[in-house]
Amino acid sequence: MSAPAAAARALGRGLARAERVPGGDINAAWRVTLDDGTRTFVKTRAGARPGEYAIEAAGLAWLADGGAAVPTVLAAGDAFLALEWIDEARLDAAGEEALGRELAALHRSGAPCFGAPPPGAPFDGLRLGEVELAPATGAEWPPFYAEHRLAPLLRAAADRGALPPGGAAVIEGVIARLPALAGPPEPPARLHGDLWGGNVLAGRDGRPRLIDPAAYGGHREIDLAMLQLFGAPSLRTLAAYDEELPRADGHAQRVPLWQLLPLLVHAVLFGGGYGASAVAAARRAAP
């Protein structure tokens, strides 16, 4: 049975129409029209791990519980995730400010510890694209970030040959200095975890919805740094965030430190210039 048909069955409806739509690098995406006229977004892929879409559904629920607007989860199975269909548009000025406020509320809502998964989700680590990080938790952010985020990604990037000569040593130096570079202590924040601009979806109402989370408990500046990596967030977004939950002194200098995480992920996945970009970020993080 196709994923659109399975989603329709899970929703107790007949399938009227299924159309392929753009859906990212990993999943196939469908606009599914049910026999009552309701439209849904269905994502699927061959070889999805059992429980993969249930984890994403749990992450969306955790974000919503923390004050972020997300698409409603309609059904989840081992082979598909069905979400509320949202007609896409652009963030307006009010939407840009709403994104900042909602991110502040989300981060403030917290997590039990660093590395904590969404409630009800299997604790099998963090998945970013095809990159998997082993499950781990910690009470302090600098050692957690060093040992369970940067170090395994550095090993994977080096094994892939994705780093320029001498690059691994530069990043190792950052890892060794993390306690001095990470800024003042922060409580665990509830993170989206993969917050690049493409995962902020604007509806026809001009307001934001967060999609495709890799949610866990982490340092709140991670989300904001990633939002600044692949495109620039509106100044309204960052100003609204700081009005609700001001960032600690020195946050601008820490942006390259947190961007090391997605840059190393991309180096592992795609190679190319991402390894060099990761090394350049490391040099900026620890000049």
Side-chain angles (χ1 to χ4, degrees):
M1 180 183 297
S2 69
R9 172 181 278 187
L11 294 169
R13 308 299 311 180
L15 174 63
R17 187 176 183 184
E19 306 161 89
R20 286 289 298 269
V21 294
D25 297 325
I26 296 173
N27 289 282
W30 298 83
R31 178 170 54 219
V32 172
T33 304
L34 305 177
D35 59 5
D36 64 353
T38 299
R39 291 182 299 165
T40 69
F41 176 86
V42 174
K43 63 192 299 186
T44 183
R45 68 183 181 87
R49 296 175 304 166
E52 179 175 328
Y53 294 120
I55 292 172
E56 183 172 342
L60 287 167
W62 201 37
L63 299 189
D65 187 59
V70 302
T72 301
V73 175
L74 303 177
D78 280 344
F80 72 89
L81 178 65
L83 303 173
E84 165 196 10
W85 179 266
I86 295 173
D87 287 315
E88 194 170 353
R90 294 173 62 90
L91 290 182
D92 58 20
E96 292 172 348
E97 293 177 4
L99 176 60
R101 289 193 297 270
E102 289 177 13
L103 285 174
L106 175 67
H107 294 162
R108 188 188 290 115
S109 65
C113 59
F114 295 110
F123 191 29
D124 62 352
L126 180 68
R127 183 173 184 136
L128 295 163
E130 293 294 328
V131 172
E132 296 184 28
L133 296 171
T137 59
E140 297 181 4
W141 177 249
F144 178 85
Y145 187 57
E147 297 168 21
H148 303 295
R149 293 293 184 261
L150 295 187
L153 288 170
L154 174 58
R155 288 193 295 270
D159 290 346
R160 192 188 192 280
L163 300 174
V170 175
I171 297 173
E172 286 168 355
V174 171
I175 292 173
R177 293 177 57 189
L178 253 169
L181 298 173
E186 291 262 356
R190 190 173 306 187
L191 299 187
H192 176 282
D194 193 15
L195 193 63
W196 67 289
N199 284 342
V200 179
L201 180 68
R204 288 282 179 87
D205 58 2
R207 299 306 175 91
R209 279 82 165 173
L210 303 186
I211 61 172
D212 293 345
Y216 66 96
H219 195 297
R220 64 192 177 106
E221 291 176 8
I222 289 276
D223 272 351
L224 300 174
M226 188 167 185
L227 197 59
Q228 296 173 71
L229 180 59
F230 302 116
S234 165
L235 294 178
R236 292 189 185 94
T237 296
L238 297 176
Y241 183 95
D242 285 332
E243 286 179 6
E244 298 290 330
L245 190 63
R247 288 169 287 175
D249 290 346
H251 61 83
Q253 288 70 42
R254 290 188 292 274
V255 168
L257 178 63
W258 311 135
Q259 289 179 343
L260 261 179
L261 171 59
L263 286 171
L264 283 172
V265 168
H266 279 67
V268 174
L269 289 173
F270 307 116
Y274 287 111
S277 295
V279 174
R283 288 196 171 102
R284 293 196 303 275

